[in-house]
Structure formats: C-alpha cells, structure tokens
Amino acid sequence: MTGWGAGQRVRIGILTKVFTAELVDMAIAEYDRAEQRRRLLPARLVVYFVLALCLFARESYEEVLRVLTSGIPGSRALAQVNRSSLCRARARLGENVLETVFRQVAGPLATADTPGAWWRGLRLLALDGTQFDLPDSTSNGDTFDGPSNTGGVPFGFPQVRAVVLAEIGTHGVLDARLGGYRDGERSLAYPLAGSTGPGDLVIADRGFWSVEFAHTFTAAGADLLVRLQSNHLGTLQERLPDGSYLSMARPGKEVRLRASREGRTLPKHTTYRVITFSKDDKVVFLGTTLLDPEQYPAAELIALYRERWEIELAFDEIKNHLGPGGPIRSRTPEGVRQELWAYLSVHHAIRRFAHTAALAGPAVDADRVSYLKCVRIVRRSVPSQLGASMETLTRSLTEGRQEARSRLLPARRGRNCPRAVKKPNRWPVLRTRAKRGVVEPGRWILSQTKKAKTDRRAGRPVPKPTPTPP
C-alpha cells in the first residue's frame, strides 16, 4: 500500500464516530480543497492531523503524525515527512474546512434526562468571551493585536478574542465567533443569536446587555438573564410582588442610526424585569426577559445566575486540560483560526463522549465524569484504533464509556470564590512583542541594558581588598 493509501485509512481513535470520513470529505468538497493528484498528505489526512494536534498539543508535528499513522501498512513514507511539508499542507487546507467541521458537529447535547441542564422547562445556556494567547509573530500581532501599556507600547502575546455560546449542563459548545483583541464581545455575540431558539435561557455577565442585544436574542425566541450595569436600569414602570420591577429602555440615537444604515429595525422600546440583590456589601442588578414573577421567582433566578460560571470551566478545559496551557502553536492568522476551530471541535466531541458516559447507566450529572480522564481515554484510543473498522470503533467507544464511569467525581459543592489577583506581575511594565518598538527582544522597557550585578559569592559579600600603604 502506498503512502497515499495509508493516508486514506487514517482514523482519530474513538472520535472517528463523530468526525466520520463522510463528514470530513463533505467539508473538503464544499471548499474544493480535495487534491487533484495523489499526494502523500491527502486532505482528509490533514484534517485528522489538525484535530490530532489539539489532542496532543504538547507534541511536535512529526510526533503527532507518527502517532496518527504508525502501524498502518504503507505508512513508512509518512514517517519521513518533515515539518515544513506539514505546514504547507495546513496552508493548502485553509481555515474554512475546520470551521465547517465544527459547525457540523456542534449543537445541543442535553436531553430531557440530563441533570442540571434544564430549569423550569428552559435549556440553560451561557454566553461569555475569552482570549487565547498566540505565538509572538509579526503577522499575528498585525492581524489580531494584543494588550498595550498606557503609552501605546504593545506587550505580552497577541490574542484572539472568542465569544462562545455553551450548554451549562454539558459544557458542549453550540456556537462561537472569533475576532481580534480590539473587537468587542457584544458585537461578536450578535451572530450567536441564530443558534438559540424558543425554550433557551441565555445567561451572560455584565457588559453584554443593551436594547439591541436583547432584541437580537428575543427575536430568535430565546430568553435572557444578564447582569446589568448601573446605567442600564432603564425607567421604572411597575413594581412586582417579589421585589423586582418592570423597566423600560429605548435604543440610543447612535444605535438607531447604525441599525438604519445596516437595514435593521429596532423596537422603539424594550420592557424587561430588573432584580436587585446584595452580595459582599455590593448591590447587584440582573435583567431578564422572563417577566412573570410567579412562574419565574426572583430568588431562583438569583441562584441560577451563578450557573454562568460553568462556561469558565469549559474555557479551562479547552485551554489547559486539552490545550497547551499557553500560546497555541500557529504563527499565521489563517493557521490560528484553523487551529481554534479544531480545538472547539475536539472539545465538543469529548464533551459528547462524557455526556453519553454520564447517561450510560443511572443518569448522573455530566460534571461528575472527569473531563481529563475522558481526554486520556481518547488519546489512548488513537494509536490503538489505527485503520479500525466502524464495528471495532463502536466496541471501543462502549468500553471507553464504561471506563469513564468507573470512578465518578464527587458531587460538586457550592463554592463562592471572590475575584483576586493570585499571581501579580513582578515588573510594572511587561515585555514588548516581537518587532514592536525599539526595545531589544528579551529586555524590559524600563531597563534596556543589563544591570550591574553586585560581586557576591554564595550570598556573602566579597571583602574589599585592604589598600596598600604608600
């Protein structure tokens, strides 16, 4: 069997049940990325290779390809492929194929039997944004930008801003949008309304609420529970028996003009319910489109708002348990977006595996199935299921679910951890990014020359020589 034939037999372990060859080939054909001749690295192999890069985020290109193909007859030629060939293969594939793969596999996971995924008949969703650190390359810095100090001097790593819509009960990602560091989370969140519908309750943190934001999601049929800023309380209309009140707000002039230029129609006013409560001697305001105080009590909504933190755990799973815990590996903007779509796809597939394991016996909360354990099971399945048939993959998937349920995590206790800076910066000004400014790479802005070190030996000062008498 030739190297091309071996590439056609590549699988990605038990995740092949999610990323089937038919799904991958359909995404490749949609953007006409199929090879015109028999290549050593066919497009399907490259898709599985990019997904495997996320499973083995701390391994080199060559090692990931070796894990993905070793043991398949005819794969000896693939073992000799170098890093530059793999980089060019990723560039030929592009980012759209992986985005299509993600949108094909993403979607709601929770069923009626999923504990913690529903509240009074509403599916609980969380909406929030996060940043991913990128390699310090000039193209990444020019495209995505990053943090800078008060003088405008950039420092640290370039960053991608991602806004994600995820299920609270399963941590499964429904939809996401990627942008640069300077892009606002609210503007990136508007397209996510298309992935919601009637029966969904979207919980979001402070900074998202506006009349336009509420209209976008309610027009799709979803309800909102969002923390309000003090300038978004609107005008009091009616006080309700549970202590909350109905409020009304109108879109601003600039918002109306922008919507008119874009051909959109905004309502003249929006009515919503404001809930007030105290936390740590601070007054907190929640805004919701659930107006009935009897059907949706304020006390339950206040307790429900804490569930928004489940999406922070999903971000931790993507960045640290699955990812490298630092900057991702791609040094070009297209490669960055390709890799992030692959991370979201693999995370969703593993979350689907964990959810099915939670429901395989007596239904338990998906939080009690260790995500890191599921990641390890999937990683081990890649070299052991090379070229396996779908029947073998199905049997391995069943065994993996049983292993994931073998030792469940204890029920999560209610915790209240206030925000705190646990690792303060040692220096007041951080290192500049590559080719940004005149600071020499590796030096600090306020200290561009090496400091003179005191002459010490083993922590003791060296005695000064006694001057020789004249």
Side-chain angles (χ1 to χ4, degrees):
M1 182 181 294
T2 63
W4 178 86
Q8 294 296 318
R9 295 191 61 193
V10 166
R11 301 290 185 267
I12 191 168
I14 59 178
L15 293 189
T16 311
K17 295 288 291 184
V18 178
F19 305 109
T20 61
E22 293 77 15
L23 184 146
V24 172
D25 290 343
M26 182 181 64
I28 293 171
E30 182 176 349
Y31 294 97
D32 195 21
R33 297 295 181 177
E35 57 275 4
Q36 301 299 320
R37 56 184 175 85
R38 289 195 172 187
R39 289 182 175 272
L40 190 61
L41 297 173
R44 185 195 299 174
L45 169 61
V46 178
V47 172
Y48 284 136
F49 171 73
V50 176
L51 295 174
L53 287 177
C54 303
L55 275 176
F56 304 95
R58 291 175 173 85
E59 303 295 339
S60 65
Y61 273 36
E62 295 86 349
E63 182 63 23
V64 173
L65 184 64
R66 191 172 293 112
V67 171
L68 198 61
T69 61
S70 61
I72 299 179
S75 62
R76 182 176 299 179
L78 291 172
Q80 300 176 359
V81 174
N82 55 31
R83 180 185 180 90
S84 60
S85 298
L86 294 170
C87 291
R88 288 193 296 269
R90 286 188 59 188
R92 287 195 304 269
L93 185 66
E95 62 182 273
N96 295 328
V97 174
L98 269 300
E99 181 179 358
T100 300
V101 170
F102 164 73
R103 302 203 180 281
Q104 289 293 328
V105 302
L109 298 177
T111 64
D113 300 327
T114 303
W118 306 88
W119 177 77
R120 291 182 175 264
L122 299 175
R123 184 191 302 271
L124 301 180
L125 306 179
L127 175 69
D128 205 357
T130 186
Q131 294 84 36
F132 291 88
D133 288 339
L134 310 178
D136 192 6
S137 66
T138 303
S139 58
N140 284 344
D142 292 338
T143 303
F144 300 109
D145 208 345
S148 59
N149 62 11
T150 55
V153 179
F155 65 83
F157 293 100
Q159 292 181 343
V160 162
R161 187 178 301 279
V163 176
V164 176
L165 180 70
E167 270 188 331
I168 287 179
T170 64
H171 295 184
V173 176
L174 274 66
D175 200 355
R177 287 296 184 274
L178 305 179
Y181 177 79
R182 305 295 174 185
D183 293 330
E185 290 184 349
R186 187 188 300 169
S187 60
L188 291 174
Y190 288 141
L192 303 183
S195 297
T196 62
D200 292 338
L201 177 59
V202 180
I203 306 177
D205 199 7
R206 182 173 51 188
F208 282 97
W209 182 271
S210 69
V211 174
E212 187 177 11
F213 177 83
H215 171 69
T216 302
F217 279 82
T218 54
D223 288 296
L224 295 173
L225 178 62
V226 184
R227 184 173 176 179
L228 301 178
Q229 295 175 330
S230 58
N231 59 344
H232 286 161
L233 301 183
T235 304
L236 174 64
Q237 300 295 307
E238 179 185 354
R239 293 196 177 274
L240 302 176
D242 62 350
S244 61
Y245 62 88
L246 297 182
S247 186
M248 184 266 291
R250 294 183 175 86
K253 180 179 179 180
E254 294 182 359
V255 175
R256 287 187 282 106
L257 291 177
R258 183 176 68 249
S260 178
R261 288 193 301 267
E262 296 175 357
R264 295 182 289 108
T265 303
L266 293 180
K268 294 182 179 180
H269 65 272
T270 297
T271 301
Y272 54 98
R273 181 176 165 205
V274 178
I275 302 172
T276 306
F277 66 99
S278 299
K279 179 183 178 183
D280 299 332
D281 298 329
K282 295 182 180 179
V283 179
V284 180
F285 304 97
L286 297 179
T288 180
T289 57
L290 302 173
L291 305 182
D292 190 349
E294 295 183 359
Q295 187 176 1
Y296 307 105
E300 294 186 19
L301 288 172
I302 293 173
L304 189 64
Y305 175 72
R306 292 186 58 189
E307 298 295 322
R308 186 199 67 83
W309 280 96
E310 294 289 340
I311 196 171
E312 302 290 348
L313 300 179
F315 292 154
D316 179 64
E317 292 167 357
I318 297 173
K319 294 181 179 181
N320 299 317
H321 297 308
L322 180 63
I328 63 177
R329 67 175 84 217
S330 300
R331 301 185 65 85
T332 63
E334 188 176 37
V336 164
R337 288 186 285 264
Q338 180 192 76
E339 187 173 355
L340 288 179
W341 289 125
Y343 268 115
L344 293 173
S345 302
V346 173
H347 173 265
H348 190 278
I350 296 176
R351 265 300 162 193
R352 178 183 296 185
F353 170 74
H355 177 249
T356 54
L359 300 183
V364 297
D365 197 323
D367 293 335
R368 300 192 60 191
V369 178
S370 171
Y371 176 81
L372 184 57
K373 188 174 185 179
C374 293
V375 171
R376 290 167 176 164
I377 292 172
V378 171
R379 285 172 177 166
R380 290 200 308 267
S381 73
V382 174
S384 63
Q385 300 296 324
L386 296 174
S389 63
M390 296 306 292
E391 292 77 10
T392 305
L393 290 172
T394 301
R395 185 169 58 253
S396 300
L397 186 61
T398 303
E399 295 173 356
R401 290 169 182 167
Q402 295 174 354
E403 181 182 353
R405 281 185 62 97
S406 60
R407 297 183 65 181
L408 297 175
L409 299 176
R412 184 180 298 167
R413 64 187 187 277
R415 293 177 294 179
N416 184 12
C417 184
R419 293 177 180 266
V421 179
K422 299 178 181 177
K423 190 177 180 182
N425 294 326
R426 183 182 177 186
W427 308 103
V429 182
L430 298 181
R431 193 187 307 255
T432 59
R433 296 202 301 272
K435 299 183 180 180
R436 295 292 196 278
V438 296
V439 180
E440 182 181 348
R443 303 286 177 84
W444 299 100
I445 295 177
L446 300 182
S447 180
Q448 299 186 28
T449 59
K450 294 183 178 179
K451 294 181 179 179
K453 298 180 180 179
T454 57
D455 189 5
R456 292 177 178 270
R457 297 178 182 176
R460 299 179 181 179
V462 179
K464 297 181 180 180
T466 304
T468 304

